[in-house]
Amino acid sequence: MERKLPNLIPGADLTGSRIEQLSTPIPVIDEDRLAANIARVQAYMDGQGKAFRPHIKTHKVPALAEQQVAAGAKGINCQKVTEAEIFADAGFDDILITFNILGPEKLERLVALNEQISGLKVAADNDVTVRGLSEAFASASRPLVVLVECDTGGGRCGVQSPEAAQALAEAIVAAPSLTFGGLLTYPKAFSEEAVEVFFSSTLKLLEGKGIACPVVSNGGTPSLFEAGKVTSATEHRAGTYIYNDRAMVRSGHCSYDDCAMHILATVVSRPTEDRAVTDAGSKALTSDLLGFDDFGYVVDYPDAVITGLSEEHGVLDLSKCAPDARPQIGERIRIIPNHTCVVSNLVDHMVFHRNGVVTRVEAVAARGRVW
Amino acid sequence: MERKLPNLIPGADLTGSRIEQLSTPIPVIDEDRLAANIARVQAYMDGQGKAFRPHIKTHKVPALAEQQVAAGAKGINCQKVTEAEIFADAGFDDILITFNILGPEKLERLVALNEQISGLKVAADNDVTVRGLSEAFASASRPLVVLVECDTGGGRCGVQSPEAAQALAEAIVAAPSLTFGGLLTYPKAFSEEAVEVFFSSTLKLLEGKGIACPVVSNGGTPSLFEAGKVTSATEHRAGTYIYNDRAMVRSGHCSYDDCAMHILATVVSRPTEDRAVTDAGSKALTSDLLGFDDFGYVVDYPDAVITGLSEEHGVLDLSKCAPDARPQIGERIRIIPNHTCVVSNLVDHMVFHRNGVVTRVEAVAARGRVW
């Protein structure tokens, strides 16, 4: 028996519907907020004279990357070869993959991708990765551009010192099949000073060795509007800013009114005076806490606290809501998730609207690229 | 440009490969552990004289539900209409949806599903849901079977007292388009006594009203082997037991050797002596904590702690590992996730193996049924 997915009739069928008619739980994106987020960040980067490279992880939708590039973005940032393939096939050429690519299958696909597009770049923070890239590209028709990832305090990947960055840059320069592309970091938010010290120290060392550093790439949305303080950075990468989320509001990057993604949910149970249960569980909101104690901001009931999630249930504590202002069974509520990027990875299609009227349904083309 | 998904060539292409050849991160399922988990739980339920109804949320794969039914399961448990549709289309007839179904689109689909299969049942814990079901089925060709969900201490959905359960059962009995199907609960683990008190008290009230209660359905994996203590229950529902996970080990339900799902990951960076970074982030493990402080159990390095996840990175603290026994860059490690059910929802295909040799690749057919 062939069935249409609920509410997922892309294009004409759904366009023009009211979002109130959509079956819940469902994330929806406000077109005007989306456009304003793109424009505001691009204008800031333009004003700082920095190239801007949006990270597609937040939306995973080629049409949105096209909007970002149309606004002035220099290229895009992916995290996986399999994501980059989707965007290369969609016509993007300037793609930076900010990840250590290891293993025969990924390297084989990377070589093929580098034949397809001329603007491919990857990151490395260790010798093993550089050796693997060097060997994989030994007989490639053009060298692969490799940037050195620096840990400027973020505590994830990255070489630990300017000296180590220099050494790895030298290894890349020495590999005939590779080209040194520059430096990059995914920093701790609001640590612009530390980032600048790391970058400028490394640049000095590279200059001493006569190694040109075409790109110095900083990143992150939370303190994006401080990016100008990293004077040595030539570009900035950010993903979350396009949709924004509760964590970005907390960081001061934006307000709730700048959050383009709402999760529409329905109250399905009111077991007690103080408890509501919605159909938005971890399959709709994800269990990302990002430092919060609860699982999202309830726009319509700001005093409600989403205390627990199972896959298909969200449990709300209403005890701080006034007794006469609590959601009823069947009522629809809007939730701003803690983290939008992970929500995008849960849905095959994303619904966009303007003032509550559906404007388009986009396939989340790079969703589910787990590998 | 048409590309195959990495490692996702269902059937012959991948069957016979070693799982070490798969690109990471990737969840894989051990066939023997899977079969043993199915057999062990079914044998326990058979021994207790209770019907067993596996929850498909854990695997979302019709072929696995077929294994569960072949072992003796009575029927299956879904959480959404859109999941139940997948399994009805795959030939399953006895399907219980343990959720309050609300809203015109879901009700319309539910009516169609009840025409398709004769063994459909749903849950309700409130009058609004019962009225909606009653109206939606007013002109249906057969009545819908509705069970009353009881909150026996789980703190999610459910009526709060035997008296409330009786009242809702009476409302269902009074609705011409509905049939009262019994009671169900999703209990707090290890609260069998409270469940039994709630159920037996309600049964007494129903008996007093002359209302027959064909099914009394208990649920959950963590204290599943205590299910015999709920003497009034006629059936038990459970999902996680088929794969098991770190949370089930903690509950005492199983050992690590009973965990059928491993996430294969690659160490991509060793920025410091005490830090490793793998490619298994929240897109592979999910950020479900389930009461843990960290994000999974590293089988090969039990003293390593997965302290943080971003979408594509897992950060491991190695400080408790012996200095000469720490994972190297490029090394592959196995992780038992905190929660398997949510991992299944991230992948389009699941890979199965026996002793490391791929046996089959199954589409996770009911994945992504967000709505």
Side-chain angles (χ1 to χ4, degrees), chain B residues 22-343:
Chain B
L22 301 173
S23 199
T24 64
I26 187 168
V28 296
I29 306 293
D30 182 306
E31 293 272 18
D32 294 330
R33 293 183 180 191
L34 176 86
N37 291 341
I38 291 171
R40 183 171 53 150
V41 166
Q42 187 65 52
Y44 172 80
M45 292 299 167
D46 290 346
Q48 298 294 325
K50 292 197 191 299
F52 183 51
R53 181 182 294 280
H55 201 312
I56 60 81
K57 67 168 190 149
T58 305
H59 54 72
K60 307 182 200 296
V61 176
L64 296 202
E66 282 164 21
Q67 287 182 251
Q68 292 170 310
V69 169
K74 167 186 205 274
I76 60 171
N77 183 187
C78 296
Q79 207 71 331
K80 308 187 90 79
V81 179
T82 47
E83 288 177 345
E85 288 171 349
I86 304 282
F87 284 82
D89 290 355
F92 293 87
D93 189 82
D94 183 345
I95 302 179
L96 167 62
I97 305 175
T98 44
F99 208 82
N100 284 293
I101 316 274
L102 289 157
E105 196 203 40
K106 293 188 176 74
L107 289 169
E108 191 181 318
R109 298 176 82 101
L110 189 68
V111 169
L113 190 61
N114 198 49
E115 301 294 323
Q116 185 183 349
I117 60 173
S118 65
L120 184 64
K121 293 164 276 288
V122 305
D125 78 350
N126 64 78
D127 279 329
V128 178
T129 298
V130 169
R131 273 203 305 276
L133 293 169
S134 172
E135 287 164 20
F137 280 78
S139 54
S141 69
R142 60 179 152 212
L144 178 69
V145 178
V146 183
L147 284 76
V148 170
E149 181 165 1
C150 306
D151 182 357
T152 58
R156 203 167 68 179
C157 288
V159 295
Q160 297 295 302
S161 67
E163 292 72 23
Q166 176 205 323
L168 198 59
E170 289 180 304
I172 295 165
V173 168
S177 59
L178 306 180
T179 298
F180 174 62
L183 307 173
L184 74 87
T185 191
Y186 184 73
K188 195 173 148 186
F190 299 100
S191 66
E192 283 70 22
E193 198 178 333
V195 175
E196 178 55 26
V197 167
F198 198 115
F199 276 162
S200 56
S201 306
T202 308
L203 288 169
K204 199 170 290 176
L205 293 174
L206 292 175
E207 200 180 0
K209 293 286 176 179
I211 298 174
C213 186
V215 171
V216 180
S217 181
N218 189 20
T221 294
S223 61
L224 178 151
F225 291 124
E226 308 281 302
K229 293 182 181 169
V230 184
T231 51
S232 59
T234 62
E235 76 167 28
H236 195 89
R237 313 176 320 278
T240 313
Y241 83 98
I242 189 169
Y243 289 162
N244 285 323
D245 55 27
R246 191 182 183 208
M248 293 308 108
V249 174
R250 182 187 53 194
S251 78
H253 171 74
C254 65
S255 74
Y256 285 127
D257 290 342
D258 301 316
C259 291
M261 179 190 281
H262 285 165
I263 312 291
L264 307 181
T266 300
V267 177
V268 297
S269 178
R270 280 293 309 278
T272 71
E273 269 309 299
D274 287 347
R275 191 198 313 160
V277 182
T278 79
D279 55 5
S282 66
K283 261 178 62 185
L285 294 169
T286 85
S287 36
D288 266 27
L289 286 168
L290 295 188
F292 292 103
D293 295 323
D294 51 342
F295 296 94
Y297 173 76
V298 183
V299 178
D300 307 290
Y301 295 92
D303 296 325
V305 182
I306 307 175
T307 52
L309 299 180
S310 31
E311 285 102 301
E312 310 286 1
H313 300 81
V315 176
L316 274 61
D317 177 359
L318 307 177
S319 58
K320 290 181 189 149
C321 302
D324 58 346
R326 297 180 176 198
Q328 299 304 304
I329 293 169
E331 191 174 328
R332 294 161 69 98
I333 61 173
R334 295 169 297 168
I335 301 168
I336 293 175
N338 289 347
H339 190 189
T340 46
C341 314
V342 287
V343 172

